[in-house]
Amino acid sequence: MAAAVLQCEWAAAWIIVAWGEFDAASMEPLAEALKVASTKYSKVVLDASQLTFADSTLLHLLLQVHSRTALRLAEPAPQLQRLLRLTGADSVLDVRKSVEDAAAS
């Protein structure tokens, strides 16, 4: 499955929805979206519910963005949840159960 990114402003947050597989070869659209959002918005939500693959490239990107803005990771797909748990990143990143929760609080 190809990677895709959709963005919009909602509930005083910038929402980025990511679909598909994200690795070093397909990361550029998501990396650019997160980079731009982190410079313009104080709250950025990544809807990760539709990710089918993520590797250390995505993890590194998320940690970088987290250091620049209030990044909230919403509904991470099971594979990403496992990656976050195995690396301990789930205790560093702000992981939320839903986009609504991430955007509202």
Side-chain angles (χ1 to χ4, degrees), residues 17-51:
V17 183
W19 285 276
E21 300 178 0
F22 286 90
D23 58 18
S26 60
M27 192 64 61
E28 187 57 35
L30 181 57
E32 184 64 23
L34 286 167
K35 178 182 173 187
V36 170
S38 71
T39 63
K40 293 183 176 183
Y41 296 90
S42 60
K43 188 187 325 179
V44 177
V45 176
L46 175 61
D47 178 348
S49 62
Q50 300 302 312
L51 290 179

Side-chain angles (χ1 to χ4, degrees), residues 8 20 24-25 28 31 33 36 38 63 76 79 83 87 91 100:
C8 68
E28 187 57 35
V36 170
S38 71
L63 292 170
Q79 192 269 336
L83 178 63
T87 60
S91 64
E100 293 81 6

Side-chain angles (χ1 to χ4, degrees), residues 1-103:
M1 173 185 266
V5 175
L6 175 69
Q7 306 176 64
C8 68
E9 188 171 10
W10 182 61
W14 191 250
I15 312 296
I16 299 172
V17 183
W19 285 276
E21 300 178 0
F22 286 90
D23 58 18
S26 60
M27 192 64 61
E28 187 57 35
L30 181 57
E32 184 64 23
L34 286 167
K35 178 182 173 187
V36 170
S38 71
T39 63
K40 293 183 176 183
Y41 296 90
S42 60
K43 188 187 325 179
V44 177
V45 176
L46 175 61
D47 178 348
S49 62
Q50 300 302 312
L51 290 179
T52 56
F53 178 80
D55 65 7
S56 61
T57 308
L58 177 63
L59 183 59
H60 180 74
L61 173 63
L62 296 176
L63 292 170
Q64 282 183 323
V65 174
H66 170 72
S67 71
R68 293 192 300 254
T69 193
L71 174 66
R72 289 153 184 200
L73 189 58
E75 301 181 60
Q79 192 269 336
L80 181 55
Q81 287 178 18
R82 183 171 184 267
L83 178 63
L84 296 172
R85 226 180 6 259
L86 287 173
T87 60
D90 60 342
S91 64
V92 175
L93 297 171
D94 188 354
V95 179
R96 303 294 179 101
K97 292 186 185 283
S98 70
V99 172
E100 293 81 6
D101 176 50

